[in-house]
Amino acid sequence: MSSEPAGSRASSTSPASSASFMSPAPRALPGRSPVSVALSLARSGRVPGPRFPAGPQTTPWPGPALPVPGPLDRLLRRSLAGGRLRPAASAGALHPVNAHLLLGAGTGLPPGRYAYQPVTHRLHPRGAVDGNVPPGALAVLTVTARRTVSQYGHRGWPLLLLDTGHAAAALVLAGAPAWCPDADGALLAAAAGLPSGRCGEHALAAVRLTPGPEDALAWWAARPPGAPPPPDAHPAPPVLRDAWDVLDALTAPARGRAVPAARRRGGAPYPDAVWRAPGAAVPPEAGTGPNGAEAGPDGAEAVAARRSAQPPFPGVPDETRLAAVARAAAAAAAAAHPPRGRATGAPAGATAGATATTAGPALAWDLVRADAPGAPRRAEDLARRAAGQAWLTRTGALLLAHGCPDDAGPAHVRHAHLTAGYAVGAAQATAARLGLASRPVGSWQHGPGGPAHLVHALALGTATEGNSPR
């Protein structure tokens, strides 16, 4: 995922070049929530820095490294496996997202919790479980905030949410039947068997890897915790601690719902998770390219082959292909939105309309073409808002996701960013299938060049020999 200069994915313009264009950093004022202040700061002109050690590329889990069993091998290999270049996009190719697998009977390994190592494509046991283990396999997606915040500072935590959405989309495109973007962090962390308190990882979402019961997360959450991640030997600078505070606030239980702080057998149950149907499959009409020719592989193969193209890619794709990419994004985002009249994470038996939805309005989508009237000026404004990435002025089209204002509540902020990453991941897979060059763009700041409250984007163009995806 492209954002600001980081690692080997440096853009042509330093983010400092846009500082004078942006609004000043916000102040903590009475009545403003910490999440609101943090979101305003992430969208401000303050330049991140200084950088600090990102730590290891993946979590160094001890113990044996087991082959991924057959039923899950293809799914994980085509969605999460690899080194710096992986099927799921990530800001700066830093890949902060971790997958903790909860395996029941019939998955090819003894029931228990396992940590997935994407570089080696292996599973590390974190603890067996006993009892009537639910069938099927789940993945709890966590983030190691240090990896991203080390490069992006105060702009890092929204990118962690976007990256998690991209990872969920990759799993769904590879064959996972459902995902859950808004379960309480306490439920997710307990299901993953992570210790209470800060352990360097924050649980943000869950993905159902195979069919299974609706209450499987709650069952796993009631088990004793598993082996903890190795301790972080590096000190935590203030900006990282601030990111942890924001992630804690974003995943806290919805107001008015009690969630037990400690894991225990029996007693008050954890709330049920609300699972979403995929909605990220490549649409059937995306199967043909220009002049009706067959275009590219299916969704699983498209996401496995996905690579962000090297800019610039100024050619404007034809209207048919642009429309297919936009439809894929909108369909994925709509499928991820909470059911109407139901509170995020509310119990499954809640009466429709009895509780208010806390995730906020759905995202809105705009498609900006480089050949539209006034496009050059608008592209310049958008490039400045995207941390000064000048290459956006030489892009055929830009699909924009927006609709999360600075004063949105924590549930809205979390859901909007997870959904945007998920939807742009689905859109990029569609673009890959249609032979288009594409590159996700995160870290949007305030400024003109509308629309307001930008969350995420996908740059699109026609692929040539010089900018083909890699």
Side-chain angles (χ1 to χ4, degrees), residues 63-455:
L66 306 178
V68 178
L72 302 177
D73 179 82
R74 180 179 183 271
L75 190 155
L76 292 175
R77 189 180 298 277
R78 294 193 171 201
S79 58
L80 302 181
R84 281 186 63 83
L85 295 179
R86 299 184 194 174
S90 175
L94 294 166
H95 299 290
V97 182
N98 316 297
H100 293 272
L101 272 56
L102 319 179
L103 303 186
T107 56
L109 286 174
R113 297 185 179 100
Y114 297 81
Y116 177 61
Q117 222 289 13
V119 175
T120 60
H121 188 55
R122 290 290 186 268
L123 296 178
H124 293 263
R126 293 188 47 236
V129 295
D130 53 15
N132 189 20
V133 184
L138 303 171
V140 173
L141 302 182
T142 70
V143 291
T144 301
R146 172 181 287 276
R147 293 177 199 156
T148 298
V149 177
S150 68
Q151 304 293 326
Y152 295 103
H154 60 275
R155 295 176 182 170
W157 66 264
L159 298 174
L160 294 167
L161 299 170
L162 296 177
D163 278 9
T164 304
H166 276 272
L171 285 163
V172 165
L173 284 159
W179 77 301
C180 177
D182 41 34
D184 292 329
L187 168 64
L188 293 172
L194 297 174
S196 58
R198 288 179 173 172
C199 65
E201 295 189 22
H202 280 79
L204 295 180
V207 179
R208 190 183 298 284
L209 304 181
T210 65
E214 290 295 305
D215 60 351
L217 274 177
W219 187 93
W220 284 96
R223 305 305 104 187
D232 188 350
H234 300 90
V239 67
L240 179 56
R241 294 186 177 276
D242 289 345
W244 289 342
D245 289 341
V246 175
L247 293 173
D248 286 341
L250 291 174
T251 57
R255 182 175 299 176
R257 291 196 300 111
V259 175
R263 300 165 189 80
R264 57 176 182 249
R265 297 179 185 272
Y270 281 86
D272 293 331
V274 181
W275 295 96
R276 309 290 197 275
V282 178
E285 65 270 25
T288 57
N291 305 317
E294 285 297 317
D298 64 15
E301 292 174 340
V303 73
R306 180 217 65 82
R307 290 292 181 265
S308 293
Q310 185 68 18
F313 31 91
V316 180
D318 60 88
E319 186 174 347
T320 299
R321 289 190 288 177
L322 282 179
V325 173
R327 280 195 298 272
H337 203 64
R340 186 175 181 181
R342 181 173 178 181
T344 301
T351 303
T355 52
T357 299
T358 58
L363 290 168
W365 298 87
D366 281 353
L367 189 60
V368 179
R369 295 170 56 106
D371 57 359
R377 175 57 184 274
R378 189 176 187 188
E380 290 177 359
D381 289 341
L382 288 169
R384 285 192 286 267
R385 290 182 64 183
Q389 298 185 83
W391 64 268
L392 288 177
T393 63
R394 294 174 290 163
T395 298
L398 199 60
L399 181 65
L400 304 172
H402 57 97
C404 182
D406 289 358
D407 60 356
H412 185 181
V413 172
R414 175 189 177 190
H415 194 276
H417 286 76
L418 286 174
T419 300
Y422 180 78
V424 169
Q428 191 176 25
T430 300
R433 189 177 186 191
L434 296 175
L436 298 178
S438 65
R439 192 176 185 89
V441 185
S443 196
W444 289 91
Q445 280 81 64
H446 291 298
H453 314 311
L454 284 168
V455 177

